[in-house]
PDB file of all heavy atoms in Angstrom:
ATOM      1  N   HIS A  27     -78.252  93.294 -69.128  1.00 57.00           N
ATOM      2  CA  HIS A  27     -78.408  92.277 -70.146  1.00 57.00           C
ATOM      3  C   HIS A  27     -79.764  91.534 -70.059  1.00 57.00           C
ATOM      4  O   HIS A  27     -79.962  90.498 -70.706  1.00 57.00           O
ATOM      5  CB  HIS A  27     -77.271  91.252 -70.060  1.00 57.00           C
ATOM      6  CG  HIS A  27     -75.913  91.868 -70.216  1.00 57.00           C
ATOM      7  ND1 HIS A  27     -75.454  92.265 -71.457  1.00 57.00           N
ATOM      8  CD2 HIS A  27     -74.947  92.208 -69.314  1.00 57.00           C
ATOM      9  CE1 HIS A  27     -74.231  92.787 -71.315  1.00 57.00           C
ATOM     10  NE2 HIS A  27     -73.929  92.759 -70.047  1.00 57.00           N
ATOM     11  N   GLY A  28     -80.670  92.051 -69.258  1.00 58.00           N
ATOM     12  CA  GLY A  28     -81.971  91.433 -69.185  1.00 58.00           C
ATOM     13  C   GLY A  28     -81.981  90.151 -68.356  1.00 58.00           C
ATOM     14  O   GLY A  28     -81.121  89.979 -67.459  1.00 58.00           O
ATOM     15  N   ARG A  29     -82.904  89.272 -68.615  1.00 80.00           N
ATOM     16  CA  ARG A  29     -83.048  88.071 -67.833  1.00 80.00           C
ATOM     17  C   ARG A  29     -81.785  87.246 -67.932  1.00 80.00           C
ATOM     18  O   ARG A  29     -81.303  86.938 -69.028  1.00 80.00           O
ATOM     19  CB  ARG A  29     -84.262  87.259 -68.304  1.00 80.00           C
ATOM     20  CG  ARG A  29     -85.569  88.017 -68.240  1.00 80.00           C
ATOM     21  CD  ARG A  29     -86.712  87.155 -68.624  1.00 80.00           C
ATOM     22  NE  ARG A  29     -86.556  86.559 -69.924  1.00 80.00           N
ATOM     23  CZ  ARG A  29     -87.340  85.566 -70.421  1.00 80.00           C
ATOM     24  NH1 ARG A  29     -88.308  85.098 -69.729  1.00 80.00           N
ATOM     25  NH2 ARG A  29     -87.152  85.075 -71.650  1.00 80.00           N
ATOM     26  N   ARG A  30     -81.282  86.728 -66.806  1.00 85.00           N
ATOM     27  CA  ARG A  30     -80.065  85.958 -66.810  1.00 85.00           C
ATOM     28  C   ARG A  30     -80.244  84.715 -65.981  1.00 85.00           C
ATOM     29  O   ARG A  30     -80.828  84.739 -64.881  1.00 85.00           O
ATOM     30  CB  ARG A  30     -78.886  86.770 -66.235  1.00 85.00           C
ATOM     31  CG  ARG A  30     -77.543  85.988 -66.233  1.00 85.00           C
ATOM     32  CD  ARG A  30     -76.440  86.828 -65.658  1.00 85.00           C
ATOM     33  NE  ARG A  30     -76.080  87.951 -66.522  1.00 85.00           N
ATOM     34  CZ  ARG A  30     -75.124  87.866 -67.428  1.00 85.00           C
ATOM     35  NH1 ARG A  30     -74.448  86.768 -67.661  1.00 85.00           N
ATOM     36  NH2 ARG A  30     -74.886  88.922 -68.176  1.00 85.00           N
ATOM     37  N   VAL A  31     -79.709  83.617 -66.473  1.00 91.00           N
ATOM     38  CA  VAL A  31     -79.679  82.351 -65.695  1.00 91.00           C
ATOM     39  C   VAL A  31     -78.234  81.904 -65.557  1.00 91.00           C
ATOM     40  O   VAL A  31     -77.431  82.009 -66.494  1.00 91.00           O
ATOM     41  CB  VAL A  31     -80.532  81.252 -66.374  1.00 91.00           C
ATOM     42  CG1 VAL A  31     -80.086  81.029 -67.833  1.00 91.00           C
ATOM     43  CG2 VAL A  31     -80.436  79.962 -65.587  1.00 91.00           C
ATOM     44  N   VAL A  32     -77.858  81.521 -64.335  1.00 90.00           N
ATOM     45  CA  VAL A  32     -76.497  81.147 -64.024  1.00 90.00           C
ATOM     46  C   VAL A  32     -76.450  79.659 -63.670  1.00 90.00           C
ATOM     47  O   VAL A  32     -77.223  79.174 -62.836  1.00 90.00           O
ATOM     48  CB  VAL A  32     -75.959  81.972 -62.816  1.00 90.00           C
ATOM     49  CG1 VAL A  32     -74.535  81.511 -62.444  1.00 90.00           C
ATOM     50  CG2 VAL A  32     -75.974  83.462 -63.135  1.00 90.00           C
ATOM     51  N   LEU A  33     -75.564  78.933 -64.351  1.00 94.00           N
ATOM     52  CA  LEU A  33     -75.357  77.526 -64.060  1.00 94.00           C
ATOM     53  C   LEU A  33     -74.163  77.369 -63.148  1.00 94.00           C
ATOM     54  O   LEU A  33     -73.069  77.794 -63.501  1.00 94.00           O
ATOM     55  CB  LEU A  33     -75.175  76.719 -65.358  1.00 94.00           C
ATOM     56  CG  LEU A  33     -74.646  75.260 -65.195  1.00 94.00           C
ATOM     57  CD1 LEU A  33     -75.555  74.431 -64.337  1.00 94.00           C
ATOM     58  CD2 LEU A  33     -74.452  74.628 -66.584  1.00 94.00           C
ATOM     59  N   VAL A  34     -74.382  76.737 -61.993  1.00 92.00           N
ATOM     60  CA  VAL A  34     -73.236  76.481 -61.059  1.00 92.00           C
ATOM     61  C   VAL A  34     -73.107  74.934 -60.929  1.00 92.00           C
ATOM     62  O   VAL A  34     -73.910  74.305 -60.268  1.00 92.00           O
ATOM     63  CB  VAL A  34     -73.474  77.113 -59.681  1.00 92.00           C
ATOM     64  CG1 VAL A  34     -72.223  76.866 -58.805  1.00 92.00           C
ATOM     65  CG2 VAL A  34     -73.739  78.599 -59.820  1.00 92.00           C
ATOM     66  N   ASP A  35     -72.085  74.415 -61.577  1.00 91.00           N
ATOM     67  CA  ASP A  35     -71.808  72.986 -61.438  1.00 91.00           C
ATOM     68  C   ASP A  35     -71.064  72.734 -60.124  1.00 91.00           C
ATOM     69  O   ASP A  35     -70.187  73.504 -59.788  1.00 91.00           O
ATOM     70  CB  ASP A  35     -70.959  72.482 -62.649  1.00 91.00           C
ATOM     71  CG  ASP A  35     -71.306  71.097 -63.069  1.00 91.00           C
ATOM     72  OD1 ASP A  35     -72.199  70.472 -62.479  1.00 91.00           O
ATOM     73  OD2 ASP A  35     -70.674  70.621 -64.068  1.00 91.00           O
ATOM     74  N   ASP A  36     -71.412  71.665 -59.477  1.00 90.00           N
ATOM     75  CA  ASP A  36     -70.832  71.345 -58.119  1.00 90.00           C
ATOM     76  C   ASP A  36     -71.098  72.523 -57.142  1.00 90.00           C
ATOM     77  O   ASP A  36     -70.179  73.019 -56.468  1.00 90.00           O
ATOM     78  CB  ASP A  36     -69.304  71.108 -58.216  1.00 90.00           C
ATOM     79  CG  ASP A  36     -69.007  69.775 -58.923  1.00 90.00           C
ATOM     80  OD1 ASP A  36     -69.820  68.832 -58.804  1.00 90.00           O
ATOM     81  OD2 ASP A  36     -67.967  69.712 -59.586  1.00 90.00           O
ATOM     82  N   LEU A  37     -72.361  72.850 -57.035  1.00 90.00           N
ATOM     83  CA  LEU A  37     -72.760  73.971 -56.154  1.00 90.00           C
ATOM     84  C   LEU A  37     -72.384  73.725 -54.728  1.00 90.00           C
ATOM     85  O   LEU A  37     -72.129  74.675 -53.988  1.00 90.00           O
ATOM     86  CB  LEU A  37     -74.259  74.154 -56.303  1.00 90.00           C
ATOM     87  CG  LEU A  37     -74.933  75.227 -55.420  1.00 90.00           C
ATOM     88  CD1 LEU A  37     -74.464  76.609 -55.860  1.00 90.00           C
ATOM     89  CD2 LEU A  37     -76.449  75.168 -55.515  1.00 90.00           C
ATOM     90  N   HIS A  38     -72.295  72.433 -54.288  1.00 89.00           N
ATOM     91  CA  HIS A  38     -71.971  72.143 -52.924  1.00 89.00           C
ATOM     92  C   HIS A  38     -70.585  72.645 -52.532  1.00 89.00           C
ATOM     93  O   HIS A  38     -70.259  72.751 -51.336  1.00 89.00           O
ATOM     94  CB  HIS A  38     -72.076  70.644 -52.678  1.00 89.00           C
ATOM     95  CG  HIS A  38     -71.295  69.795 -53.660  1.00 89.00           C
ATOM     96  ND1 HIS A  38     -71.768  69.508 -54.915  1.00 89.00           N
ATOM     97  CD2 HIS A  38     -70.084  69.217 -53.571  1.00 89.00           C
ATOM     98  CE1 HIS A  38     -70.921  68.800 -55.565  1.00 89.00           C
ATOM     99  NE2 HIS A  38     -69.881  68.584 -54.787  1.00 89.00           N
ATOM    100  N   LEU A  39     -69.709  72.910 -53.490  1.00 88.00           N
ATOM    101  CA  LEU A  39     -68.353  73.371 -53.210  1.00 88.00           C
ATOM    102  C   LEU A  39     -68.228  74.899 -53.139  1.00 88.00           C
ATOM    103  O   LEU A  39     -67.154  75.437 -52.882  1.00 88.00           O
ATOM    104  CB  LEU A  39     -67.367  72.871 -54.283  1.00 88.00           C
ATOM    105  CG  LEU A  39     -67.215  71.367 -54.453  1.00 88.00           C
ATOM    106  CD1 LEU A  39     -66.280  71.029 -55.625  1.00 88.00           C
ATOM    107  CD2 LEU A  39     -66.739  70.703 -53.145  1.00 88.00           C
ATOM    108  N   LEU A  40     -69.320  75.588 -53.387  1.00 87.00           N
ATOM    109  CA  LEU A  40     -69.261  77.087 -53.474  1.00 87.00           C
ATOM    110  C   LEU A  40     -68.879  77.685 -52.131  1.00 87.00           C
ATOM    111  O   LEU A  40     -69.389  77.294 -51.102  1.00 87.00           O
ATOM    112  CB  LEU A  40     -70.642  77.616 -53.935  1.00 87.00           C
ATOM    113  CG  LEU A  40     -70.675  79.047 -54.493  1.00 87.00           C
ATOM    114  CD1 LEU A  40     -69.794  79.154 -55.745  1.00 87.00           C
ATOM    115  CD2 LEU A  40     -72.080  79.469 -54.739  1.00 87.00           C
ATOM    116  N   ASP A  41     -68.019  78.676 -52.155  1.00 85.00           N
ATOM    117  CA  ASP A  41     -67.567  79.341 -50.936  1.00 85.00           C
ATOM    118  C   ASP A  41     -68.684  80.232 -50.376  1.00 85.00           C
ATOM    119  O   ASP A  41     -69.666  80.604 -51.082  1.00 85.00           O
ATOM    120  CB  ASP A  41     -66.327  80.194 -51.218  1.00 85.00           C
ATOM    121  CG  ASP A  41     -66.597  81.328 -52.206  1.00 85.00           C
ATOM    122  OD1 ASP A  41     -66.590  81.067 -53.413  1.00 85.00           O
ATOM    123  OD2 ASP A  41     -66.868  82.462 -51.760  1.00 85.00           O
ATOM    124  N   ALA A  42     -68.564  80.588 -49.134  1.00 84.00           N
ATOM    125  CA  ALA A  42     -69.631  81.319 -48.398  1.00 84.00           C
ATOM    126  C   ALA A  42     -69.903  82.694 -49.048  1.00 84.00           C
ATOM    127  O   ALA A  42     -71.058  83.078 -49.176  1.00 84.00           O
ATOM    128  CB  ALA A  42     -69.263  81.452 -46.947  1.00 84.00           C
ATOM    129  N   ALA A  43     -68.837  83.414 -49.391  1.00 80.00           N
ATOM    130  CA  ALA A  43     -69.049  84.765 -49.932  1.00 80.00           C
ATOM    131  C   ALA A  43     -69.795  84.723 -51.232  1.00 80.00           C
ATOM    132  O   ALA A  43     -70.705  85.545 -51.489  1.00 80.00           O
ATOM    133  CB  ALA A  43     -67.665  85.464 -50.088  1.00 80.00           C
ATOM    134  N   SER A  44     -69.427  83.782 -52.114  1.00 82.00           N
ATOM    135  CA  SER A  44     -70.131  83.639 -53.406  1.00 82.00           C
ATOM    136  C   SER A  44     -71.558  83.222 -53.215  1.00 82.00           C
ATOM    137  O   SER A  44     -72.451  83.724 -53.948  1.00 82.00           O
ATOM    138  CB  SER A  44     -69.399  82.602 -54.275  1.00 82.00           C
ATOM    139  OG  SER A  44     -68.097  83.014 -54.633  1.00 82.00           O
ATOM    140  N   THR A  45     -71.813  82.402 -52.221  1.00 86.00           N
ATOM    141  CA  THR A  45     -73.155  81.962 -51.953  1.00 86.00           C
ATOM    142  C   THR A  45     -74.034  83.119 -51.490  1.00 86.00           C
ATOM    143  O   THR A  45     -75.178  83.244 -51.910  1.00 86.00           O
ATOM    144  CB  THR A  45     -73.141  80.871 -50.851  1.00 86.00           C
ATOM    145  OG1 THR A  45     -72.291  79.793 -51.232  1.00 86.00           O
ATOM    146  CG2 THR A  45     -74.563  80.348 -50.606  1.00 86.00           C
ATOM    147  N   VAL A  46     -73.463  83.993 -50.672  1.00 83.00           N
ATOM    148  CA  VAL A  46     -74.188  85.168 -50.196  1.00 83.00           C
ATOM    149  C   VAL A  46     -74.581  86.080 -51.370  1.00 83.00           C
ATOM    150  O   VAL A  46     -75.730  86.552 -51.494  1.00 83.00           O
ATOM    151  CB  VAL A  46     -73.403  85.955 -49.137  1.00 83.00           C
ATOM    152  CG1 VAL A  46     -74.080  87.284 -48.841  1.00 83.00           C
ATOM    153  CG2 VAL A  46     -73.294  85.140 -47.874  1.00 83.00           C
ATOM    154  N   VAL A  47     -73.664  86.317 -52.275  1.00 81.00           N
ATOM    155  CA  VAL A  47     -73.926  87.163 -53.424  1.00 81.00           C
ATOM    156  C   VAL A  47     -75.008  86.545 -54.306  1.00 81.00           C
ATOM    157  O   VAL A  47     -75.957  87.236 -54.726  1.00 81.00           O
ATOM    158  CB  VAL A  47     -72.648  87.384 -54.254  1.00 81.00           C
ATOM    159  CG1 VAL A  47     -72.971  88.093 -55.590  1.00 81.00           C
ATOM    160  CG2 VAL A  47     -71.655  88.194 -53.472  1.00 81.00           C
ATOM    161  N   LEU A  48     -74.931  85.240 -54.530  1.00 84.00           N
ATOM    162  CA  LEU A  48     -75.981  84.562 -55.357  1.00 84.00           C
ATOM    163  C   LEU A  48     -77.330  84.668 -54.677  1.00 84.00           C
ATOM    164  O   LEU A  48     -78.335  84.916 -55.326  1.00 84.00           O
ATOM    165  CB  LEU A  48     -75.595  83.112 -55.586  1.00 84.00           C
ATOM    166  CG  LEU A  48     -74.620  82.804 -56.709  1.00 84.00           C
ATOM    167  CD1 LEU A  48     -74.393  81.307 -56.817  1.00 84.00           C
ATOM    168  CD2 LEU A  48     -75.101  83.328 -58.046  1.00 84.00           C
ATOM    169  N   ARG A  49     -77.333  84.508 -53.372  1.00 86.00           N
ATOM    170  CA  ARG A  49     -78.619  84.601 -52.643  1.00 86.00           C
ATOM    171  C   ARG A  49     -79.219  85.994 -52.821  1.00 86.00           C
ATOM    172  O   ARG A  49     -80.424  86.126 -53.047  1.00 86.00           O
ATOM    173  CB  ARG A  49     -78.332  84.339 -51.156  1.00 86.00           C
ATOM    174  CG  ARG A  49     -79.535  84.526 -50.212  1.00 86.00           C
ATOM    175  CD  ARG A  49     -80.443  83.362 -50.271  1.00 86.00           C
ATOM    176  NE  ARG A  49     -81.503  83.455 -51.261  1.00 86.00           N
ATOM    177  CZ  ARG A  49     -82.338  82.499 -51.563  1.00 86.00           C
ATOM    178  NH1 ARG A  49     -82.277  81.304 -50.994  1.00 86.00           N
ATOM    179  NH2 ARG A  49     -83.279  82.674 -52.472  1.00 86.00           N
ATOM    180  N   GLN A  50     -78.397  87.020 -52.749  1.00 82.00           N
ATOM    181  CA  GLN A  50     -78.895  88.385 -52.905  1.00 82.00           C
ATOM    182  C   GLN A  50     -79.432  88.594 -54.305  1.00 82.00           C
ATOM    183  O   GLN A  50     -80.476  89.243 -54.508  1.00 82.00           O
ATOM    184  CB  GLN A  50     -77.773  89.385 -52.604  1.00 82.00           C
ATOM    185  CG  GLN A  50     -77.398  89.400 -51.137  1.00 82.00           C
ATOM    186  CD  GLN A  50     -76.131  90.286 -50.908  1.00 82.00           C
ATOM    187  OE1 GLN A  50     -75.222  90.299 -51.724  1.00 82.00           O
ATOM    188  NE2 GLN A  50     -76.142  91.045 -49.809  1.00 82.00           N
ATOM    189  N   LEU A  51     -78.699  88.063 -55.327  1.00 83.00           N
ATOM    190  CA  LEU A  51     -79.130  88.226 -56.727  1.00 83.00           C
ATOM    191  C   LEU A  51     -80.455  87.500 -56.974  1.00 83.00           C
ATOM    192  O   LEU A  51     -81.319  87.977 -57.685  1.00 83.00           O
ATOM    193  CB  LEU A  51     -78.074  87.723 -57.640  1.00 83.00           C
ATOM    194  CG  LEU A  51     -76.767  88.491 -57.683  1.00 83.00           C
ATOM    195  CD1 LEU A  51     -75.705  87.771 -58.500  1.00 83.00           C
ATOM    196  CD2 LEU A  51     -76.973  89.887 -58.233  1.00 83.00           C
ATOM    197  N   LEU A  52     -80.601  86.367 -56.359  1.00 84.00           N
ATOM    198  CA  LEU A  52     -81.874  85.621 -56.500  1.00 84.00           C
ATOM    199  C   LEU A  52     -83.009  86.392 -55.861  1.00 84.00           C
ATOM    200  O   LEU A  52     -84.093  86.524 -56.447  1.00 84.00           O
ATOM    201  CB  LEU A  52     -81.723  84.227 -55.857  1.00 84.00           C
ATOM    202  CG  LEU A  52     -80.886  83.164 -56.575  1.00 84.00           C
ATOM    203  CD1 LEU A  52     -80.660  81.962 -55.661  1.00 84.00           C
ATOM    204  CD2 LEU A  52     -81.513  82.773 -57.867  1.00 84.00           C
ATOM    205  N   ASP A  53     -82.815  86.858 -54.632  1.00 83.00           N
ATOM    206  CA  ASP A  53     -83.861  87.558 -53.924  1.00 83.00           C
ATOM    207  C   ASP A  53     -84.245  88.877 -54.672  1.00 83.00           C
ATOM    208  O   ASP A  53     -85.400  89.319 -54.624  1.00 83.00           O
ATOM    209  CB  ASP A  53     -83.366  87.876 -52.517  1.00 83.00           C
ATOM    210  CG  ASP A  53     -83.296  86.660 -51.651  1.00 83.00           C
ATOM    211  OD1 ASP A  53     -83.913  85.649 -52.039  1.00 83.00           O
ATOM    212  OD2 ASP A  53     -82.618  86.709 -50.589  1.00 83.00           O
ATOM    213  N   ALA A  54     -83.247  89.482 -55.368  1.00 80.00           N
ATOM    214  CA  ALA A  54     -83.564  90.706 -56.096  1.00 80.00           C
ATOM    215  C   ALA A  54     -84.198  90.454 -57.456  1.00 80.00           C
ATOM    216  O   ALA A  54     -84.570  91.377 -58.146  1.00 80.00           O
ATOM    217  CB  ALA A  54     -82.263  91.492 -56.256  1.00 80.00           C
ATOM    218  N   GLY A  55     -84.304  89.157 -57.817  1.00 82.00           N
ATOM    219  CA  GLY A  55     -84.884  88.806 -59.118  1.00 82.00           C
ATOM    220  C   GLY A  55     -83.988  89.108 -60.270  1.00 82.00           C
ATOM    221  O   GLY A  55     -84.432  89.160 -61.435  1.00 82.00           O
ATOM    222  N   VAL A  56     -82.691  89.279 -60.056  1.00 82.00           N
ATOM    223  CA  VAL A  56     -81.735  89.593 -61.132  1.00 82.00           C
ATOM    224  C   VAL A  56     -81.385  88.371 -61.894  1.00 82.00           C
ATOM    225  O   VAL A  56     -81.110  88.414 -63.099  1.00 82.00           O
ATOM    226  CB  VAL A  56     -80.499  90.266 -60.547  1.00 82.00           C
ATOM    227  CG1 VAL A  56     -79.438  90.541 -61.628  1.00 82.00           C
ATOM    228  CG2 VAL A  56     -80.855  91.594 -59.847  1.00 82.00           C
ATOM    229  N   VAL A  57     -81.293  87.213 -61.212  1.00 85.00           N
ATOM    230  CA  VAL A  57     -80.880  85.998 -61.903  1.00 85.00           C
ATOM    231  C   VAL A  57     -81.789  84.825 -61.462  1.00 85.00           C
ATOM    232  O   VAL A  57     -82.504  84.903 -60.439  1.00 85.00           O
ATOM    233  CB  VAL A  57     -79.417  85.562 -61.608  1.00 85.00           C
ATOM    234  CG1 VAL A  57     -78.454  86.655 -61.989  1.00 85.00           C
ATOM    235  CG2 VAL A  57     -79.266  85.192 -60.134  1.00 85.00           C
ATOM    236  N   ARG A  58     -81.776  83.778 -62.280  1.00 91.00           N
ATOM    237  CA  ARG A  58     -82.238  82.470 -61.848  1.00 91.00           C
ATOM    238  C   ARG A  58     -81.055  81.555 -61.851  1.00 91.00           C
ATOM    239  O   ARG A  58     -80.043  81.809 -62.540  1.00 91.00           O
ATOM    240  CB  ARG A  58     -83.319  81.969 -62.806  1.00 91.00           C
ATOM    241  CG  ARG A  58     -84.734  82.429 -62.515  1.00 91.00           C
ATOM    242  CD  ARG A  58     -85.744  81.738 -63.438  1.00 91.00           C
ATOM    243  NE  ARG A  58     -87.094  81.971 -63.024  1.00 91.00           N
ATOM    244  CZ  ARG A  58     -88.137  81.382 -63.606  1.00 91.00           C
ATOM    245  NH1 ARG A  58     -87.971  80.539 -64.604  1.00 91.00           N
ATOM    246  NH2 ARG A  58     -89.366  81.623 -63.147  1.00 91.00           N
ATOM    247  N   LEU A  59     -81.140  80.483 -61.064  1.00 92.00           N
ATOM    248  CA  LEU A  59     -79.972  79.631 -60.801  1.00 92.00           C
ATOM    249  C   LEU A  59     -80.296  78.154 -61.191  1.00 92.00           C
ATOM    250  O   LEU A  59     -81.347  77.643 -60.890  1.00 92.00           O
ATOM    251  CB  LEU A  59     -79.600  79.698 -59.347  1.00 92.00           C
ATOM    252  CG  LEU A  59     -78.392  78.927 -58.862  1.00 92.00           C
ATOM    253  CD1 LEU A  59     -77.123  79.401 -59.588  1.00 92.00           C
ATOM    254  CD2 LEU A  59     -78.201  79.103 -57.349  1.00 92.00           C
ATOM    255  N   ILE A  60     -79.329  77.551 -61.845  1.00 95.00           N
ATOM    256  CA  ILE A  60     -79.341  76.101 -62.072  1.00 95.00           C
ATOM    257  C   ILE A  60     -78.112  75.542 -61.392  1.00 95.00           C
ATOM    258  O   ILE A  60     -77.019  76.017 -61.642  1.00 95.00           O
ATOM    259  CB  ILE A  60     -79.317  75.701 -63.575  1.00 95.00           C
ATOM    260  CG1 ILE A  60     -80.590  76.281 -64.289  1.00 95.00           C
ATOM    261  CG2 ILE A  60     -79.242  74.213 -63.749  1.00 95.00           C
ATOM    262  CD1 ILE A  60     -80.521  76.091 -65.828  1.00 95.00           C
ATOM    263  N   GLY A  61     -78.295  74.587 -60.492  1.00 94.00           N
ATOM    264  CA  GLY A  61     -77.141  74.073 -59.774  1.00 94.00           C
ATOM    265  C   GLY A  61     -77.119  72.538 -59.701  1.00 94.00           C
ATOM    266  O   GLY A  61     -78.166  71.895 -59.736  1.00 94.00           O
ATOM    267  N   THR A  62     -75.943  71.960 -59.749  1.00 94.00           N
ATOM    268  CA  THR A  62     -75.764  70.502 -59.585  1.00 94.00           C
ATOM    269  C   THR A  62     -75.095  70.248 -58.237  1.00 94.00           C
ATOM    270  O   THR A  62     -74.196  70.993 -57.850  1.00 94.00           O
ATOM    271  CB  THR A  62     -74.984  69.890 -60.702  1.00 94.00           C
ATOM    272  OG1 THR A  62     -73.597  70.334 -60.618  1.00 94.00           O
ATOM    273  CG2 THR A  62     -75.564  70.208 -62.070  1.00 94.00           C
ATOM    274  N   ILE A  63     -75.543  69.211 -57.556  1.00 92.00           N
ATOM    275  CA  ILE A  63     -75.050  68.928 -56.228  1.00 92.00           C
ATOM    276  C   ILE A  63     -74.849  67.412 -56.120  1.00 92.00           C
ATOM    277  O   ILE A  63     -75.775  66.607 -56.380  1.00 92.00           O
ATOM    278  CB  ILE A  63     -76.020  69.398 -55.137  1.00 92.00           C
ATOM    279  CG1 ILE A  63     -76.222  70.910 -55.219  1.00 92.00           C
ATOM    280  CG2 ILE A  63     -75.576  68.988 -53.732  1.00 92.00           C
ATOM    281  CD1 ILE A  63     -77.508  71.388 -54.672  1.00 92.00           C
ATOM    282  N   ARG A  64     -73.634  67.011 -55.721  1.00 88.00           N
ATOM    283  CA  ARG A  64     -73.381  65.544 -55.574  1.00 88.00           C
ATOM    284  C   ARG A  64     -73.929  65.055 -54.270  1.00 88.00           C
ATOM    285  O   ARG A  64     -73.655  65.574 -53.185  1.00 88.00           O
ATOM    286  CB  ARG A  64     -71.875  65.294 -55.621  1.00 88.00           C
ATOM    287  CG  ARG A  64     -71.498  63.789 -55.527  1.00 88.00           C
ATOM    288  CD  ARG A  64     -70.027  63.573 -55.553  1.00 88.00           C
ATOM    289  NE  ARG A  64     -69.423  64.022 -56.813  1.00 88.00           N
ATOM    290  CZ  ARG A  64     -68.129  63.923 -57.100  1.00 88.00           C
ATOM    291  NH1 ARG A  64     -67.324  63.377 -56.184  1.00 88.00           N
ATOM    292  NH2 ARG A  64     -67.692  64.344 -58.241  1.00 88.00           N
ATOM    293  N   CYS A  65     -74.760  64.017 -54.343  1.00 83.00           N
ATOM    294  CA  CYS A  65     -75.332  63.403 -53.127  1.00 83.00           C
ATOM    295  C   CYS A  65     -74.215  62.815 -52.287  1.00 83.00           C
ATOM    296  O   CYS A  65     -73.206  62.301 -52.816  1.00 83.00           O
ATOM    297  CB  CYS A  65     -76.321  62.342 -53.543  1.00 83.00           C
ATOM    298  SG  CYS A  65     -77.875  62.956 -54.202  1.00 83.00           S
ATOM    299  N   GLY A  66     -74.395  62.825 -50.979  1.00 71.00           N
ATOM    300  CA  GLY A  66     -73.431  62.248 -50.094  1.00 71.00           C
ATOM    301  C   GLY A  66     -72.329  63.147 -49.657  1.00 71.00           C
ATOM    302  O   GLY A  66     -71.483  62.784 -48.880  1.00 71.00           O
TER     303      GLY A  66
END
């Protein structure tokens, strides 16, 4: 589908397995990421 951007609201709650997959996708240049994180 070409260039893709993924929005993850409350990124701080993301589980470890999902985080690893996102990290791989970012490193491969497949996606860009927008994330929100609650301070504290």
Side-chain angles (χ1 to χ4, degrees):
H27 300 285
R29 302 184 305 169
R30 180 181 292 267
V31 56
V32 177
L33 167 58
V34 184
D35 215 0
D36 290 329
L37 179 65
H38 52 280
L39 299 177
L40 198 63
D41 64 278
S44 296
T45 304
V46 170
V47 172
L48 278 181
R49 175 78 270 172
Q50 291 173 322
L51 293 172
L52 288 171
D53 290 342
V56 176
V57 303
R58 275 186 168 186
L59 182 61
I60 298 173
T62 67
I63 298 156
R64 182 181 297 181
C65 287

